Structures are given as C-alpha cells and as structure tokens.
Amino acid sequence: LVDPEDDEEVKNNPSSALPEPKVSIALNGGDTLFAEVRGQNVEKIGSFLQDQAKALRESHANFTNRDKSLSEIHKFVKHIPVFTQNYRSLTQHINLAALVKKNVDEPAFRQRWQTEREMLEGSTCYDQLDELIYTQHSPFRLLKLLCLQSITSGGIKSSKYDAMRRDIVQTYGYEFLFVLSNIEKLGALRQKAFLDTSGSFSIMRKWLSLINEDVDTIEPDDISYVSSGYAPLSVRLIQAACKGWINAEDVLRELPGHLIDVIQVHPPET
C-alpha cells in the first residue's frame, strides 16, 4: 500500500526514492473481515483488528505449543490455506486502518471536520471560509464548504456573499464567476436577503434529530455514530418512511421538489 501523499512526493522528486509497488485490494462482501469492519467507526477499528490478531495468534499457539496426534496435524494442515488468507487479509486491513488513521489525525482534516460540524449545527463559519480563500485552498473543497454553509443556514448574507464572490474570482480566476453562477442555478448556493430567517435545514435538523450529542461510537445504537454525532439526512428520511411518516408532514414540506403520494399494493397492479 502506498500513501497518496508519499506517491505524489515521489512524482515531484524522482530521485528521492523509488515508489513501492501498489497493491489492488477488492473491498467487498467476499472479504469476511471487511464485512465486519466496514460499518465501524474509525475509533473502534484499532481495537477490533487487535482482537482479530490476538485470536489468530492464539489459534497458532494452541497448535505449536504442545504435541499433536496425526489426526490433529492433518486437520490443522487442511486449515492452513484459510489461516494464511485470514492473516493476509488482517495485514491488509491493518495497513489500511493505519493510512486512514494518519489522514484523520491530520490537523487540516480535523479543522475541516470541525468546520463542517459547526455548519451542520447551525453556526456561520464565514471567518473559516475567508481564511481558505486567502490561503488559496483547493477551490473545489472551498466551494463544497460554501454550499454546505448556504444549505444549512438558508443562504449566505448578501453583503458577505458579494465580498466572497469577489475574493474567489480574484484568487482563483474569472472562470469561477461561471462556476458560482451554475451552482446558484442548481440551488446549492443562494444569497439570503436582510431579515430572511427561512431555513429548511434547521427545521429538518430539529424534527429528524440530525445531531446526537450523546452518540456512542464504540457500541452504537444510532446511525449518527458514523460521523461521531451527525445522522445523515437520507438515513433519517428512510427511517421516517419506515415508520409511515408519522408526524413528519412538516419535514416533507421542507424538502426540495414535488411530493407525490404513491400507494404500494401487493401484488403490484398491472
């Protein structure tokens, strides 16, 4: 496995070191270990993989630490391919977990996560957005955060939006005028007029309990554990649908687009 940052450094400085060969890993249900680890919070993966390694070590020790009969040796030999595959899979996932851990512990990642969380909770993060512009941060990451701010707060204040648009164009180029215009047409970015207190997301955040302050990331009992406290809106809507949309009429009215009532029957009508 090769860290993308290390790989980029090698490209920029070929004389520094030869890149290690890359390994393609199929992450799907065919990997029994991935099937167990894929839905866990990053904080739990380390201890889970440690338990798996301990179990493999104990399994090997139980065979090598005492004499075995021929039938026991034969049984163990038959399981060697499975043991080897489990060991290889565990090694791969440990390397992947280390790479994920390295990235999530980076100050830049932590700062971006904190900014996104504050926006989702209803805060305005104009200072953080300005800082990203002034430091010439990746324009598309900046635009993602700008859209998130607009959606979660019901728009960007007109005076602030004009200033940000000017700074973005001056920093990244005039072509971003068209980018901003296209994003506005999509509805992901809009200006908020003076005294405009409308905000669909704030209503959905409250009614659907999108923020969970007491989430347990180790032994989770709510979907909000996946992001350490934020429940994805799409999942909350599915949960509400499974309950028959009870007391969810106000939320449905806040969703963009048209609402259509469809009655499903079984068997389907032809």
Side-chain angles (χ1 to χ4, degrees):
L1 296 173
V2 179
D3 189 327
E5 294 183 358
D6 295 337
D7 192 30
E8 187 66 25
E9 180 180 349
V10 170
K11 290 179 181 178
N12 296 334
N13 187 13
S15 61
S16 61
L18 292 176
E20 298 179 12
K22 295 182 179 181
V23 178
S24 297
I25 301 176
L27 298 178
N28 52 46
D31 184 340
T32 55
L33 184 56
F34 179 66
E36 294 185 67
V37 79
R38 67 187 304 172
Q40 296 185 10
N41 187 282
V42 67
E43 294 182 12
K44 188 180 179 182
I45 292 178
S47 59
F48 173 80
L49 293 177
Q50 185 178 18
D51 292 340
Q52 295 296 311
K54 182 179 179 181
L56 278 178
R57 185 167 58 249
E58 291 177 350
S59 176
H60 184 265
N62 288 337
F63 178 80
T64 58
N65 290 344
R66 60 189 180 89
D67 295 335
K68 299 291 184 180
S69 64
L70 290 177
S71 60
E72 289 176 320
I73 294 174
H74 178 69
K75 183 178 180 180
F76 180 79
V77 170
K78 288 178 62 178
H79 285 82
I80 286 179
V82 176
F83 180 88
T84 303
Q85 175 60 33
N86 290 340
Y87 177 80
R88 184 182 299 112
S89 176
L90 179 60
T91 301
Q92 291 173 344
H93 283 287
I94 289 175
N95 290 335
L96 287 171
L99 185 57
V100 171
K101 181 67 173 174
K102 176 183 177 182
N103 281 275
V104 299
D105 286 343
E106 288 289 334
F109 178 89
R110 289 290 183 180
Q111 180 61 43
R112 187 168 69 251
W113 183 93
Q114 184 63 36
T115 300
E116 292 175 354
R117 180 61 180 269
E118 290 176 4
M119 291 179 180
L120 290 169
E121 291 180 351
S123 300
T124 54
C125 301
Y126 295 154
D127 290 342
Q128 292 91 320
L129 292 171
D130 285 337
E131 182 180 353
L132 294 177
I133 298 173
Y134 300 151
T135 56
Q136 298 184 0
H137 196 71
S138 168
F140 297 104
R141 285 189 175 180
L142 166 67
L143 291 174
K144 286 171 62 177
L145 287 175
L146 185 59
C147 290
L148 181 62
Q149 180 70 89
S150 176
I151 292 171
T152 55
S153 60
I156 307 294
K157 290 183 179 179
S158 296
S159 58
K160 190 62 183 178
Y161 180 77
D162 291 338
M164 280 189 176
R165 181 170 55 183
R166 182 188 64 248
D167 292 339
I168 289 173
V169 172
Q170 291 178 348
T171 302
Y172 300 107
Y174 71 90
E175 61 269 22
F176 277 87
L177 269 177
F178 304 103
V179 175
L180 293 170
S181 177
N182 289 333
I183 296 176
E184 286 181 356
K185 293 177 181 178
L186 290 173
L189 182 62
R190 76 179 185 91
Q191 300 184 51
K192 180 164 60 174
F194 183 65
L195 296 180
D196 182 359
T197 59
S198 63
S200 298
F201 189 84
S202 61
I203 296 175
M204 291 187 288
R205 180 175 59 239
K206 176 182 178 181
W207 282 89
L208 296 176
S209 302
L210 299 184
I211 303 297
N212 183 357
E213 299 289 352
D214 301 320
V215 63
D216 186 347
T217 59
I218 306 302
E219 298 296 335
D221 57 2
D222 185 76
I223 192 62
S224 57
Y225 83 95
V226 297
S227 61
S228 301
Y230 171 71
L233 175 60
S234 57
V235 176
R236 283 290 194 248
L237 289 174
I238 293 174
Q239 291 176 334
C242 292
K243 297 177 181 178
W245 300 111
I246 298 176
N247 299 325
E249 293 80 4
D250 292 337
V251 174
L252 292 176
R253 283 194 291 267
E254 298 299 331
L255 294 174
H258 299 287
L259 295 178
I260 301 176
D261 289 329
V262 178
I263 299 176
Q264 292 182 319
V265 296
H266 183 77
E269 296 180 349
T270 56

